[in-house]
Amino acid sequence: MMGKGSWSGGGAGIGSACPEGKKGVACLLSLEEPRRTAAGMARQAAKTLWYDRPRYVFVEFCVEDSKDVKVDLDDYKVVFSCKNADDVELYNEIHFYARVNCKHKRSGRSITLFVRKWKEKVGWPRLTKEEFKPAWLLVDFDNWRDWEGDEEVEAAMAEQYAELMQKVTPKVTPPAMDDLDVSSIIYGFTTQVVSCCPAVLHSETGGKKETLHGFHVILEDTILFPEGGGQPDDRGLINDIPVLRVTRQGPDALHFVQTALEPGSEVQLVLDWDRRFDHMQQHSGQHLITALADLMFGFKTTSWELGRQRSTIELDTSSLTTDQVAALEQSVNEKIRARIPVVVQELAVGDPEVEKVRSRGLPDDHAGPVRIISIEGIDANMCCGTHVSNLSDLQVIKLLGTEKGKKNKTNLAFLAGNRVLKTLERSHATEKALTLLLKQFLCYSRNGPEEHVEAVKRLQNSVKQFQKNNLNLLRDLAVLTAQSFRNNLVQEPLFVLHRKDGDSEFMNIIANDIGTEKTLIFLSVGDEKAAGLFLLAGPPEAVEKLGPRVAELLEGKGAGKRGRYQGKAARMSRRAEVEALLQKFTNHQSTEQ
């Protein structure tokens, strides 16, 4: 058990070796070896197919004419056994990738598990918790498809299996801290409240700043990581109360909640595992990229940021070529495929080994041992963050390119793990939508993704031509408008015109053609309920006097000289007030004359 208020994310088995006699994550998630019968004969495993859906996972044990079928189901694993037509005993044991509800049905040729996910619409990269894939487990590619539009099919399959579903096994009691595994982190960890003090949280959502009033809670122990080392904090629940922020204060982790908790009371702590695992992938990915950028090119990392959409590494180099980025990406993914372990080590502050690892130094208020994250044979780095236990958990890394950084440095953007898959999913959806739009707009029969660039160029050329034609029509309309005014036998002393789709040139053509010696002209363009442009033209004395007042009424700004005053208006809806002002002025002028 960790000390008061300390963070035990590393001790939870995430990225650490299994202590002797204990079960860390790496130990718990191994497949069972084939068991033997009472006669000593090794049981065979049944060929197994699986495929993923937004809400369900389907597992099929392919056994013809099965008998003595036994299916042991719980929230985390399934044990299947039976005999086939030749009386050969078959046995499979699968620890699921994530928590499930399990149901099954039987047919003449197979036994199918109908597995409902606890976390719906979260893709499973594999069926098993462990990374090792046994030879008898295969992906059912005939049924594997994109999720988009798949919910109706999935619902129909659920309907088909509904009558054959069994009851789900009751939830198990969360394990104790000294036998902690991933399931206990996600689904419940019991601890005690040490203190609860009033606090304020300043946050920003969608660009809007807000101040929240609540409490800082210190727990006897915690599984929520406080922000630090470039990594954001974890989220979770304390007795179903949302934890909105976790920060570090010396050796203590402060959990911000908006409901007071009684000191000394026992509470259940639950982690937002999706957020934690995403941060693990990005952080371990950063370590790997940083180490290889240094080994391959001598580029040191000076800082990094784990962003909401993508992460960025600041490299101490003025530039990174396209070939270097490609070589680095290739090397990074080769290391992932090599399944290299990531090991967590804790050393005393004065241990000589601490001096041998990559580090930017310890914080002033550091307490306790020094935590070292090692990627075997590649890197050793002082780090307090959460990490995967093997590089294969990163799945894949995509380098998105570089941008110029501060102080002659270069920012390298990247995605790791599930973020790559989510980005690909969004890009694919955008690509499909764009293909359909371009096909409809351009009537272009060959309009796959490879033709998008050419199609957009055609569209740009069309838009440019439309804009050119529109400008010509506006010029012609301006001339005709001025001619119409001049052709009137009786010319009014005030001419007012508003047009939504005009521009400055349109207004100036009208003013030039009408003439401003005797006529006061007020022209405006833009949305009547929003901002726009205006022009006041006429006798210089009148324009000089009225121009600033017009700008004030329209809540805009303008300038002018020699009988012209033009500018931008924030509220075109007040044009009527301007017209009334000008009408009053011209009436007064007429009376004086």
Side-chain angles (χ1 to χ4, degrees), residues 323-336:
D323 289 343
Q324 286 174 326
V325 172
L328 180 58
E329 180 177 279
Q330 180 178 350
S331 180
V332 162
N333 285 290
E334 285 173 355
K335 301 301 182 187
I336 292 173

Side-chain angles (χ1 to χ4, degrees), residues 398-412:
K398 178 61 185 174
L399 303 184
L400 300 177
T402 62
E403 297 174 352
K404 187 173 179 59
K406 299 178 180 178
K407 297 181 180 179
N408 208 31
K409 295 177 182 179
T410 299
N411 295 328
L412 176 63

Side-chain angles (χ1 to χ4, degrees), residues 51 147 433 480 555 566:
Y51 57 97
W147 283 2
L480 290 173
E555 298 182 14
Q566 54 190 345

Side-chain angles (χ1 to χ4, degrees), residues 272 325 347 392 469:
D272 180 344
V325 172
L347 302 175
S392 61
N469 293 341

Side-chain angles (χ1 to χ4, degrees), residues 30 45 61 85 89 126 135 295 300 310 317 330 443 452 588:
S30 59
F61 297 104
E89 292 191 35
R126 56 182 181 272
L295 290 171
K300 305 291 185 183
R310 64 177 192 171
T317 177
Q330 180 178 350
C443 301
H452 280 177
H588 181 69

Side-chain angles (χ1 to χ4, degrees), residues 269-283:
L269 190 59
V270 177
L271 170 70
D272 180 344
W273 173 250
D274 290 342
R275 179 181 172 94
R276 161 69 73 84
F277 187 61
D278 172 57
H279 291 173
M280 288 164 60
Q281 287 185 318
Q282 309 316 308
H283 203 160

Side-chain angles (χ1 to χ4, degrees), residues 105-106 129 215 219 261 288 327 391 418 521 541 548 570:
K105 79 163 197 174
R106 176 180 175 184
K129 193 73 178 180
F215 304 88
L219 302 172
L261 295 169
L288 180 59
L391 290 187
N418 289 334
I521 303 169
E541 300 81 5

Side-chain angles (χ1 to χ4, degrees), residues 477-487 495 509-511 513-514:
L477 180 60
V479 172
L480 290 173
T481 301
Q483 287 177 355
S484 175
F485 178 80
R486 291 201 315 269
N487 290 337
F495 178 79
I509 290 174
I510 294 176
D513 281 12
I514 289 178

